[in-house]
Amino acid sequence: PDYIGFGPLFATPTKPDYIPIGLAQIAQVRQEATLPFFCIGGIKRDNVDTVIAHGAVGVVVVSEILQAPDIRAICAWYREKLLAANPVSH
């Protein structure tokens, strides 16, 4: 595999049959994973700060992006949010 999808963190209409796993294990996955991992499931603007605070470096957002009036703007907002929280050193 190339990456790990970790979730769903929260209830989401794109995964109605899955039970949310919550935030508690994000930091552990970040420490132990040997592949990039992306938190997924019910992530939105109103909870992404909490997801990042628990150790997420990457997130997957589906519903909010697909429903946005300006898809480029919402994607840019998430990109800046994640880069600000996890700056890349060169």
Side-chain angles (χ1 to χ4, degrees):
D2 296 319
Y3 65 91
I4 298 167
F6 185 72
L9 300 183
F10 307 104
T12 174
T14 59
K15 294 174 191 59
D17 298 332
Y18 290 82
I19 298 171
I21 61 172
L23 304 165
Q25 295 177 319
I26 295 173
Q28 179 181 355
V29 172
R30 184 173 178 172
Q31 288 179 340
E32 296 178 13
T34 58
L35 295 171
F37 79 98
F38 297 87
C39 293
I40 188 169
I43 298 172
K44 299 186 182 314
R45 280 180 283 191
D46 64 351
N47 63 20
V48 72
D49 287 329
T50 303
V51 175
I52 292 168
H54 279 82
V57 176
V59 298
V60 177
V61 179
V62 177
S63 299
E64 188 173 38
I65 290 173
L66 293 177
Q67 296 169 1
D70 186 342
I71 291 173
R72 284 186 180 169
I74 192 70
C75 290
W77 184 89
Y78 275 103
R79 182 178 188 277
E80 291 304 314
K81 173 72 73 175
L82 290 165
L83 288 174
N86 301 288
V88 177
S89 23
H90 296 279

